[in-house]
Amino acid sequence: MKKLFYLLCFLLFTYSVSVYAKKTIKINFTPRSSGDYELYLKKAFERIGYNVIINYHDRIDSSIKYDYELNYKDSAWFYGDDLRKIELKLYNPQGDLLHSVISSTSYVNFGINPVKVVFKAVYDLTGIRIPYIKKEDDIPKLGGKTWNISFYVEKLDSTIYVIRAKGAAIRTKDEMEEAFLKKANILLDTFSYYYKIEDYYYNSSGPVIISNVNVNMSFVNKAIMITGIIKEEKERYKLNSIPPIFENYYTDKIKYKSGISK
């Protein structure tokens, strides 16, 4: 009986989009997500007629009323920041789960615009297709000069991101610093930033001629990794000392995510 009640509530949710005056949905920000998914969700729900409020770290005014509450979880592909999977859970103000969906991409679609993945998830949740507007929804991509540098992004707050850039062995320190700032420019227009530069090692294999015989051997490569934090500011500048939020993040030795980890 209880499940039937929640099903009726969900049907009312989807029906209200086209019949009732604007409803309000509260989206709870997920710390350490790999992109601006709360913003893409906000855009999707606004396009189908909802008022949207985003709750960053429970800073929202407790007196604000809302009709629905949305939680999301995400995971990225490998060490990149390409969205692999997003899970949406819709609740009523009393905390009862009304509906949940999981939308994912295949490895074949690696590099797909994450906005489209989020829009599809909202469609799966509501049954209402979200119009995609190319000029508004396309996300800038880094140029070809970063082809052998992988990026991993974790969003800590509304305008605070951690970026990790890992380069191939041929990449220089200057090239890695330039790539880090290019990635930061996609996330924020102007920002303060701080980063650490470290060496890391990875294995690769290739043919080697020994006594006129081709032998496939494994090699250990030394390369550069930059891990840094950016925060929106009125102008760009580099911090002289490590900010506390990044020091806490860094000393926790946070591991890369595997699957939905939140």
Side-chain angles (χ1 to χ4, degrees):
M1 194 69 181
K2 192 174 183 180
K3 288 185 177 179
L4 177 60
F5 171 73
Y6 292 157
L7 176 60
L8 291 173
C9 288
F10 170 67
L11 292 175
L12 178 62
F13 163 74
T14 57
Y15 181 66
S16 64
V17 173
S18 58
V19 176
Y20 295 106
K22 278 193 175 183
K23 297 285 186 176
T24 297
I25 185 166
K26 180 179 78 169
I27 298 174
N28 293 316
F29 169 68
T30 300
R32 291 166 52 188
S33 55
S34 57
D36 293 318
Y37 305 130
E38 82 284 8
L39 301 181
Y40 307 155
L41 287 165
K42 180 177 185 290
K43 181 183 293 188
F45 279 101
E46 286 178 341
R47 285 195 184 162
I48 58 175
Y50 272 78
N51 291 318
V52 179
I53 52 177
I54 301 177
N55 179 25
Y56 290 100
H57 296 284
D58 294 324
R59 294 195 297 263
I60 192 173
D61 188 341
S62 59
S63 65
I64 294 178
K65 302 297 182 182
Y66 56 90
D67 302 285
Y68 303 100
E69 183 173 14
L70 186 77
N71 290 343
Y72 65 95
K73 296 179 181 179
D74 68 279
S75 63
W77 278 105
F78 307 113
Y79 295 125
D81 58 348
D82 287 272
L83 181 60
R84 180 177 73 89
K85 181 187 297 183
I86 188 164
E87 178 181 357
L88 307 181
K89 290 187 176 182
L90 183 73
Y91 300 85
N92 63 20
Q94 291 72 45
D96 300 316
L97 178 64
L98 302 179
H99 193 42
S100 64
V101 297
I102 296 176
S103 185
S104 59
T105 62
S106 69
Y107 185 72
V108 176
N109 293 325
F110 182 64
I112 191 171
N113 187 333
V115 178
K116 292 183 178 180
V117 182
V118 171
F119 281 14
K120 180 182 182 301
V122 175
Y123 166 72
D124 292 340
L125 186 74
T126 65
I128 301 172
R129 195 168 298 279
I130 315 299
Y132 185 87
I133 304 173
K134 187 173 178 59
K135 289 185 178 180
E136 293 184 20
D137 300 331
D138 279 355
I139 296 175
K141 295 291 184 180
L142 289 171
K145 290 184 178 180
T146 59
W147 66 271
N148 57 2
I149 300 175
S150 61
F151 296 92
Y152 186 84
V153 173
E154 289 188 288
K155 189 170 185 177
L156 305 186
D157 209 328
S158 57
T159 59
I160 302 176
Y161 303 80
V162 167
I163 302 173
R164 182 179 288 110
K166 300 180 74 174
I170 61 173
R171 287 297 187 176
T172 66
K173 175 176 172 291
D174 289 343
E175 288 173 333
M176 292 301 297
E177 289 175 332
E178 181 183 4
F180 173 89
L181 292 175
K182 282 184 176 180
K183 183 65 174 180
N185 265 331
I186 289 178
L187 298 170
L188 295 171
D189 293 328
T190 52
F191 50 87
S192 60
Y193 65 98
Y194 183 91
Y195 56 75
K196 288 188 174 184
I197 300 176
E198 301 172 287
D199 293 332
Y200 81 100
Y201 299 86
Y202 66 93
N203 293 323
S204 63
S205 60
V208 176
I209 299 177
I210 301 178
S211 300
N212 296 323
V213 177
N214 282 333
V215 179
N216 197 51
M217 296 187 65
S218 179
F219 302 91
V220 177
N221 301 275
K222 180 181 178 181
I224 295 172
M225 175 173 66
I226 290 183
T227 307
I229 190 166
I230 63 173
K231 181 180 183 297
E232 186 175 56
E233 302 287 356
K234 292 183 178 179
E235 58 185 23
R236 182 199 289 190
Y237 60 91
K238 185 175 183 180
L239 297 169
N240 294 321
S241 60
I242 183 170
I245 187 173
F246 185 52
E247 186 173 24
N248 294 337
Y249 171 93
Y250 203 83
T251 53
D252 283 343
K253 297 180 180 179
I254 296 173
K255 296 181 179 179
Y256 296 105
K257 289 186 290 183
S258 176
I260 291 180
S261 61
K262 301 178 289 299

